[in-house]
Amino acid sequence: MSNTKTLISVVGPTAIGKTSLAIKLANHFDTEIISADSRQFFKEMSIGTAAPTLDELNQAKHHFIHNKSVFESYNVGTFEKEALKMLEYLFKHNDTVIMVGGSGLYVNALTKGLDDFPEVDSSIRETLNLQLINNGLETLQLQLKKLDIKSFETIEIANPKRVIRALEICIGSGKPYSSFLQKNKSSRNFKVITLGITADRDIIYDRINRRVDIMMGLGLLNEVKQLESYKMLNSLNTVGYKELFKYLDKEWTLDFAVSEIKKNSRRFAKRQLTWFKRNTETIWVDYKEDFKLVLDKIKSYETANK
């Protein structure tokens, strides 16, 4: 593989239209799509993750959609290895490949390589896990806010696994988790062009609210009911599922659970934008941008970076 090959990475907040643009790009370049959405890997989670529909999957070939089960152990390190292997295969037949997804950690794993973190004592994680069980996630979040405000503002703060990972590095190394990011990156022998889709905040929030209503109409509650017995799995501790588990446990009303899905999705979108805006190389396009103008921006970027 040589750096004459290009990976176009489509990023942005949830519900902004990433799948639609990725399909248009894949068809234009006559190529295939790699998904970097960590929730869409799981075949049992379709409606709540807004995975591409059958029609969308038929419009362009996708990889890493519904390729795993919630019962399988899967992490970003495994994804990096598998996605690099897939990319190598796809680049044998294509000069350009499209990647799409809103999971910043997974996007970075493929485009830049994983961060090199120090080894820390496993007892720290055990203590933090006990703290989570006994005192709840909020205490861990506040601890992270005190030790590393940058990570607190950018990681998926509602995910206990992410919070505990950041905290164990902070505590074990005596340095902020964020200070280890983007150092000693693996070199990539292909070019990366990052396209970020954005819109005014009110538009993003409105699109999220409408998408949640659509998901409920498509049968999200039934999907969650089928997974209720496995709600302790880490993969199911995520927006759209954890709120409806609360409803099924009779802790919340259905209306309140749906409103919480919307609220947590909006918070997630805000964090996604914070994460993606750290990449100063990103070409930002409006969610309604004419496709020809998007292609022109890609071309201009390539010309400027030859």
Side-chain angles (χ1 to χ4, degrees), residues 29-296:
F29 290 103
D30 191 23
T31 190
E32 299 177 18
I33 297 172
I34 287 177
S35 172
D37 188 313
S38 63
R39 304 185 336 142
Q40 292 178 0
F41 300 150
F42 302 112
K43 58 188 174 186
E44 297 88 354
M45 301 164 65
S46 182
I47 299 170
T49 64
T53 63
L54 194 58
D55 180 52
E56 287 171 329
L57 292 171
N58 287 334
Q59 289 177 51
K61 187 164 183 183
H62 288 66
H63 302 274
F64 300 96
I65 295 284
H66 296 164
N67 61 313
K68 299 289 173 185
S69 168
V70 291
F71 306 109
E72 292 179 68
S73 178
Y74 197 64
N75 58 40
V76 68
T78 309
F79 170 76
E80 181 191 19
K81 291 189 189 82
E82 291 183 357
L84 279 172
K85 196 173 175 184
M86 175 60 70
L87 203 51
E88 188 175 0
Y89 168 76
L90 292 175
F91 276 143
K92 286 177 182 173
H93 313 282
N94 306 277
D95 288 334
T96 304
V97 174
I98 313 301
M99 177 168 71
V100 60
S103 303
L105 196 60
Y106 286 73
V107 170
N108 280 10
L110 188 52
T111 57
K112 301 174 181 177
L114 289 172
D115 299 292
D116 188 15
F117 292 108
E119 288 292 320
V120 296
D121 194 316
S122 61
S123 65
I124 296 170
R125 181 179 295 186
E126 289 165 17
T127 303
L128 291 168
N129 278 320
L130 277 174
Q131 197 177 326
L132 174 67
I133 293 164
N134 295 326
N135 304 318
L137 179 59
E138 193 178 352
T139 59
L140 296 176
Q141 292 170 337
L142 291 172
Q143 196 175 346
L144 182 61
K145 188 175 185 180
K146 197 178 291 182
L147 294 176
D148 186 1
I149 186 68
K150 190 174 179 184
S151 289
F152 177 80
E153 290 174 346
T154 54
I155 70 166
E156 193 182 340
I157 206 77
N159 186 329
K161 194 175 175 183
R162 297 268 187 271
V163 175
I164 287 171
R165 176 60 176 154
L167 272 175
E168 71 175 349
I169 295 294
C170 291
I171 295 164
S173 70
K175 296 176 183 177
Y177 172 83
S178 56
S179 69
F180 294 99
L181 300 175
Q182 299 177 340
K183 289 181 180 177
N184 304 318
K185 292 289 188 180
S186 309
S187 61
R188 295 294 188 235
N189 54 355
F190 52 86
K191 292 181 289 186
V192 177
I193 296 175
T194 304
L195 277 178
I197 312 176
T198 190
D200 290 339
R201 190 177 65 176
D202 290 349
I203 291 169
I204 294 172
Y205 287 1
D206 180 60
R207 287 175 69 90
I208 288 169
N209 292 340
R210 282 191 286 121
R211 175 184 270 184
V212 173
D213 289 335
I214 289 167
M215 286 175 173
M216 290 303 294
L218 289 171
L220 176 57
L221 183 55
N222 285 332
E223 182 172 271
V224 174
K225 278 179 182 173
Q226 288 167 11
L227 295 165
E228 189 180 7
S229 307
Y230 317 109
K231 63 186 174 187
M232 298 310 292
L233 291 172
N234 185 62
S235 51
L236 291 169
N237 184 25
T238 187
V239 179
Y241 294 82
K242 60 182 182 179
E243 297 87 355
L244 289 175
F245 288 142
K246 293 264 193 186
Y247 162 69
L248 294 173
D249 287 341
K250 297 185 167 53
E251 289 182 44
W252 291 351
T253 65
L254 184 57
D255 283 349
F256 184 71
V258 171
S259 72
E260 286 295 291
I261 295 173
K262 291 176 181 178
K263 182 182 80 177
N264 291 330
S265 297
R266 294 192 299 267
R267 284 179 174 172
F268 180 51
K270 188 178 176 184
R271 289 182 177 279
Q272 285 175 305
L273 280 170
T274 301
W275 177 288
F276 291 127
K277 282 182 176 174
R278 292 189 308 184
N279 182 357
T280 55
E281 294 286 299
T282 300
I283 304 164
W284 288 99
V285 299
D286 186 78
Y287 79 111
K288 289 193 298 187
E289 192 90 74
D290 181 78
F291 185 60
K292 187 181 179 303
L293 288 178
V294 174
L295 293 176
D296 287 345

